[in-house]
């Protein structure tokens, strides 16, 4: 029997059943609501299989994170990095609109590593066309003191993976002066920040007097370091400088500049992106330990004075947390 004949027979059966006085109401409603698709000369009933329903449910679950809280920190746990990057772009675009409208500028701080890959959705539709990129001012939480075209440069990483794909005015992208020493580059970058405070691009925290960036987009190393602030290093205790330098980084290259904790903790918003099973142990320690202990990792020292701190993690990075399975 051809498909048209089968469709006609099926349609006739549905019509006959629909007129049956003994048909249970639930089946009568199902037949009445049944949709159909055109297949040549006739309409054939369309059904949704259990497999299709399950696929749609899994897709929805993948984009909906588990939410966990620790103090004033919110932890979002996503099925995968793809779902994470979608949510990160949405948050960034929303904050961009808010600050651009409120004060005419949006100050964004980037880090290096895998974070830049997770920003890729911002350079795609709809954000590449809808975000007001002319209001963006871009900074780095840390930088390696190498030429801008060097493979170790955080500027090069961000330019290749993100900045070259969005129309931020070049004069509003603040890279370090790589012709200076590490100490000179740190001093120069701090001077630049103070100039931007004077011109109104940057605000100061009313409680601490340190610069208050609108959004810091940070990553975390497998040892729990953020920026170029490493476990056990004396720079963890720097309380006065905005930007300082390091010449003996435990991770190459050795010479770097970095924001200090008073600047990081003055942020209005921090999005900390952590993915991969290799960081699960550090995530567990950071989110389950007592932050008053004496052996804090750098990531545990992030404590916003009056801002919002959100972790963006995938299920692998959160795999050692209780009740974190999707």
């Amino acid at each position: 029997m051809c498909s048209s004949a089968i469709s006609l027979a099926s349609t006739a059966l549905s019509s006959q059943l629909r007129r049956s006085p003994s048909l249970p109401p639930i089946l009568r409603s199902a037949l009445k609501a049944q949709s159909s698709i055109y297949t040549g000369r006739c309409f054939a009933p369309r059904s949704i299989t259990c497999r299709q329903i399950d696929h749609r449910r899994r897709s929805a679950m993948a984009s909906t994170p588990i939410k966990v809280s620790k103090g004033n920190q919110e932890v979002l746990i996503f099925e995968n990095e793809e779902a994470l990057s979608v949510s990160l772009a949405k948050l960034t675009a929303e904050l961009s609109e808010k600050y651009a409208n409120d004060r005419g500028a949006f100050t964004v701080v980037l880090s290096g590593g895998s974070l830049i890959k997770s920003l890729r959705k911002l350079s795609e539709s709809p954000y590449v066309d809808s975000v007001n990129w002319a209001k963006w001012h871009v900074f780095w939480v840390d930088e390696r003191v190498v030429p801008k075209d060097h493979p170790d440069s955080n500027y090069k990483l961000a330019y290749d993976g993100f900045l070259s794909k969005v129309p931020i005015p070049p004069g509003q992208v603040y890279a370090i002066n790589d012709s200076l020493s590490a100490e000179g580059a740190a001093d120069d970058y701090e001077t630049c920040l103070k100039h931007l405070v004077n011109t109104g691009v940057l605000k100061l925290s009313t409680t601490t007097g340190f610069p208050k960036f609108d959004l810091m987009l940070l990553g975390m190393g497998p040892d729990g370091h953020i920026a170029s602030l490493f476990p056990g290093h004396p720079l963890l205790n720097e309380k006065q400088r905005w930007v300082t330098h390091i010449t003996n980084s435990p991770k190459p290259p050795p010479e770097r500049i970095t924001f200090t904790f008073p600047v990081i903790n003055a942020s209005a918003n921090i999005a900390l992106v952590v993915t991969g099973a290799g960081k699960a142990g550090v995530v567990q320690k950071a989110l389950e330990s007592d932050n008053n202990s004496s052996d804090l990792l750098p990531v545990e020292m992030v404590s916003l004075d009056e801002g919002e701190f959100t972790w963006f993690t995938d299920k692998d990075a959160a795999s050692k947390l209780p009740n974190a399975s999707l």
Side-chain angles (χ1 to χ4, degrees), residues 149-170:
D149 59 355
H150 192 281
D152 287 333
S153 167
N154 282 342
Y155 169 84
K156 175 177 170 54
L157 178 68
Y159 182 83
D160 291 346
F162 173 53
L163 296 175
S164 62
K165 303 174 182 179
V166 294
I168 299 171

Side-chain angles (χ1 to χ4, degrees), residues 90-159:
K90 182 175 183 293
L91 171 70
T92 304
E94 289 172 349
L95 291 176
S96 172
E97 182 178 18
K98 167 183 164 59
Y99 288 104
N101 290 339
D102 287 353
R103 60 186 200 84
F106 181 45
T107 54
V108 184
V109 178
L110 304 179
S111 64
S114 59
L115 167 80
I116 300 302
K117 177 186 175 184
S118 294
L119 297 179
R120 64 189 180 277
K121 298 297 182 182
L122 285 168
S123 63
E124 301 173 3
S125 180
Y127 303 115
V128 69
D129 298 316
S130 63
V131 167
N132 189 349
W133 299 106
K135 302 298 184 183
W136 279 49
H137 293 259
V138 179
F139 306 82
W140 277 264
V141 72
D142 71 325
E143 179 59 288
R144 293 86 179 270
V145 184
V146 296
K148 292 182 182 64
D149 59 355
H150 192 281
D152 287 333
S153 167
N154 282 342
Y155 169 84
K156 175 177 170 54
L157 178 68
Y159 182 83

